[in-house]
Each structure stands twice: as C-alpha cells, then as structure tokens.
Amino acid sequence: MIPKSSRAVSTALTPEAIAASIASAETAASEPVARYALGLGDDALVLAHRLGEWIANAPELEEDVALGNIGLDLLGHARSFLTYAGSAWGRSEDDLAYFRGESDYRNRQLFEQPSGDFAHTIARQLFASAYFDALYRALQRSTDPTLAAIAAKATKEVDYHLDHSVQWLLRLGLGTAESHRRMQRGVDAMWPFVGELFSPEPEADAGGALEGVAVDPESLRAAFDELVPRLITDAGLAVPTIPFAWGGGREGRHTEALGPMLAEMQVLARAHPGVTW
Amino acid sequence: MTSPGDSGTRETWPLWEVFLRSSRGLSHVHAGSLHAPDSTMAVRNARDLYTRRGEGVSIWVVPASAITASDPDAKGEFFESPQGKEYRHATYYTASETVPHL
C-alpha cells in the first residue's frame, strides 16, 4: 500500500471551498454566470448518475472501479458548478440537484441517455469526455476565477476519462465480431446527441453578459471533429452519418430517459425534504 | 490464485502483479495483483486500484506467469546455508593493529 505521506496533496478548488467562500460573501455568481454554471453542473451530475448505475454490474471488478472512479470525478465537477450556481439564488447543491423537475434540468441530452450495454456506455463516455476535454481546456481561460479554477481541476481528470474510453473503443471495435457489432451500435445510438453539444449556450446569447466568461460551444467543434472520427476509424468502425437530434436540453427539453432517472435520484430527498444527512 | 488459462471465463483476463514506487520512494514495492486483458489496461487498473491516481507514482505491471518464485519447501537449502559461516562476514575478523584506518 502507498504510505499516506506520498499521497498527492490536492490544492485544487473543492466544492466545500467554494461553499465557504460563498458563505463569507467573497464569491457569488451573477445571474447569467449562475445559469451557465447550472448547465455545466447538470451535464456532469446526470452523467455521474448514469455511471453510478454500473456499480456492481460492470463486466469485471476492475472495470467496476474504473467506471465508479469516473463517476466520482464527474460528481465532483457537478458539486462545484452547482454550488457556485446556487450562490446567485441562495440555494445549495442539494437544493438544485433534488428539488428541480425535469424541465428545470439544463443538461444536454447526451448525458441522460440510458447506459445500454457496455459498448453504449463507452460510446457515450467517449463523446462526453472528448467534449469535456475541449471545454475545460478552454474554460480554464475564463475571466471568472471560480469557473477557471473548477475547469483547471477537471481537465486533468477528464484526460484520464478520455484515455479510458479510447482504450475500450479500440478493444471492442477491434475485438471479436460480436464486440465490433455492439461497439458500432453504441456509437450509432449516441451519435444523434453529439450535435447538441456544440449548439449555443442560451445564456450566452443574452446581451454578451458572458463574453470572456463562457466558452462558445461552436468553438469546441473543430477539436472534437479532428479527434473523434479518427478514433472511431482507428477502432475499425464506421463514423455514423445519422442526422443529429433536435436537442434542447439547455432549454429544459429532454428525452424520455431523464424523468425516470430523476425520480430515482430524488425520491428520498423529496419524501423527507429539509432533513440533514 | 488464478493464473492465465486457469479458468475458462478468465482466460482473456490474466492475473498481473503490480509494483509501485511512490513519488519519494526509492524502489518499486509489490502492492498487489489484479486482472486485466493486457498490460496497457493493467497499468490503468493499477492506477485506479492502488494509487487513487496520486501524482508522481511509478507503476510496473508484470504478468503473474512471468514470475518464477523460489520453492517454499526448499527453504532450508535456499536460505539457511549461511548459518554457522560467520567467517563470511567482515565483522568475524579482528582488525590488525598495524592498519589504523581499516
């Protein structure tokens, strides 16, 4: 085992540190920044929940740990963004996670897609991680110091997530005839939700309030298009030509998958509102 | 202990032994074992299982089948032979008075 002293001491921004600086009135998001942070937080929260569904169901014990790890990282990102977003409205991360209905969730639709088989999950994670990778690299240069700090911490973690997805994309794509077929199906199933990732942030449209603060999603498309189709081809798979879905997650329009997911996520908090756990 | 090929369901996920050197450690120390389909995934799994991705850590993975161990039943012959042979150690000898800086 690793001796305690050799563990890396994290100096990165934690959700608790954000909450503390909000409590001492050093940090509060403006309304447009809060709405932007809410969207990013919801993306991470919803995907973290989907990965949590794999616990004890993964193909191997080691993969159980890997998917759990990625889910934990994403939940950390979600907590930071939601804590920061809530500072504008006096609401905690838990208020935002548990007491908003489906139409108030702002996640893009890719993240709420059901996990399906392992290949579906890897395809969803590949697209998500390639998008997050480009997003957080750019967001580190945000003029909002809290968003920049959250992104700086997340970037390192997302590097690892992307690597994990690429490894499995290659193994399944170049594995057996059956794994190849399933990986192609997974890529095809998740592909329609790629387009929405690069559609404008509704809040960024409103009067330039987020100029220099938010990342223009359209600017992330080149990095994604340069990387992902090449990875799919390297795995011996076909890049889908399926048209993109309408999207609308950032406006609260979701696929039918999100409602049941939130029902499960929120049941306890809604049955016993206001308690401390 | 499972080793490569022992079990029908495990044959594509052989056992790997993991050695870690922490950021201020001098040598790689055996940390445990895990199953992985190949060495690349074994390193990644080892990072998740044994390092929590702490920075500045070096990981070695070795297929368990590549390790040859000494035979526990031959412990006597292997490890006890130095007993009663103190003359093999430098401390057995008295320094000569005419050599002051030995």
Side-chain angles (χ1 to χ4, degrees):
Chain A
M1 282 295 120
I2 316 274
K4 225 175 187 170
S5 60
S6 71
R7 271 185 208 150
V9 178
S10 172
T11 52
L13 192 61
T14 62
E16 288 78 10
I18 297 172
S21 76
I22 289 165
S24 64
E26 289 165 26
T27 307
S30 67
E31 179 75 20
V33 170
R35 287 177 177 277
Y36 177 62
L38 185 69
L40 301 187
D42 284 352
D43 288 346
L45 175 63
V46 167
L47 186 56
H49 185 91
R50 284 292 183 218
L51 290 174
E53 294 170 351
W54 272 104
I55 299 301
N57 288 309
E60 287 287 339
L61 183 60
E62 285 79 2
E63 201 46 38
D64 224 85
V65 175
L67 293 175
N69 253 324
I70 295 170
L72 283 170
D73 286 344
L74 292 168
L75 190 62
H77 307 164
R79 293 187 57 206
S80 296
F81 283 125
L82 293 184
T83 299
Y84 187 43
S87 69
W89 310 305
R91 301 182 79 187
S92 71
E93 51 179 316
D94 283 354
D95 295 338
L96 291 174
Y98 295 121
F99 295 97
R100 278 184 302 146
E102 188 184 345
S103 60
D104 292 324
Y105 260 75
R106 290 289 177 267
N107 61 286
R108 297 189 187 272
Q109 293 174 355
L110 172 70
F111 307 107
E112 73 204 28
Q113 292 312 303
S115 294
D117 66 10
F118 187 61
H120 277 67
T121 292
I122 292 301
R124 186 184 60 200
Q125 200 60 40
L126 173 76
F127 299 155
S129 301
Y131 162 75
F132 284 142
D133 190 52
L135 170 68
Y136 292 146
R137 274 175 205 287
L139 193 61
Q140 286 180 73
R141 296 189 297 273
S142 171
T143 52
D144 184 297
T146 306
L147 289 179
I150 297 170
K153 184 182 184 218
T155 296
K156 276 192 229 166
E157 297 172 347
V158 168
D159 269 354
Y160 166 76
H161 305 169
L162 181 59
D163 173 79
H164 174 269
S165 301
V166 171
Q167 294 296 329
W168 278 116
L169 176 78
L170 292 171
R171 277 165 183 75
L172 296 175
L174 302 171
T176 66
E178 176 66 4
S179 74
H180 177 94
R181 185 182 69 80
R182 285 182 179 234
M183 194 65 241
Q184 185 70 60
R185 278 181 51 198
V187 166
D188 290 349
M190 297 300 167
W191 188 259
F193 303 101
V194 165
E196 187 197 359
L197 298 176
F198 309 107
S199 67
E201 291 283 348
E203 294 308 317
D205 288 339
L210 295 179
E211 186 72 35
V213 172
V215 175
D216 174 11
E218 179 67 33
S219 71
L220 306 174
R221 186 167 221 150
F224 188 97
D225 288 348
E226 194 275 319
L227 177 68
V228 174
R230 178 166 55 80
L231 292 171
I232 293 173
T233 310
D234 287 350
L237 300 163
V239 180
T241 52
I242 308 158
F244 292 136
W246 280 102
R250 279 283 191 271
E251 286 88 27
R253 289 194 302 278
H254 294 285
T255 63
E256 68 275 22
L258 184 64
M261 198 203 94
L262 291 181
E264 186 180 2
M265 183 200 276
Q266 298 177 337
V267 61
L268 198 64
R270 297 230 181 201
H272 305 281
V275 299
T276 303
W277 49 47
Chain B
M1 277 280 226
T2 315
S3 59
D6 266 4
S7 138
T9 55
R10 275 285 192 181
E11 63 188 6
T12 54
W13 281 69
L15 188 72
W16 300 78
E17 298 298 335
V18 179
F19 299 80
L20 297 178
R21 184 171 62 73
S22 58
S23 53
R24 302 182 70 183
L26 293 174
S27 59
H28 287 77
V29 176
H30 184 234
S33 49
L34 53 79
H35 289 276
D38 53 46
S39 61
T40 313
M41 288 307 295
V43 169
R44 283 159 177 77
N45 291 343
R47 178 169 54 174
D48 284 347
L49 289 167
Y50 294 112
T51 76
R52 302 280 167 209
R53 279 179 275 140
E55 312 212 350
V57 172
S58 166
I59 302 172
W60 288 348
V61 293
V62 183
S65 60
I67 294 176
T68 306
S70 60
D71 179 1
D73 295 335
K75 212 170 142 192
E77 302 91 294
F78 250 74
F79 301 114
E80 283 168 23
S81 66
Q83 285 180 12
K85 298 177 188 170
E86 285 79 9
Y87 55 82
R88 288 186 174 194
H89 299 281
T91 50
Y92 175 79
Y93 301 94
T94 46
S96 169
E97 283 174 21
T98 56
V99 185
H101 300 300
L102 191 68

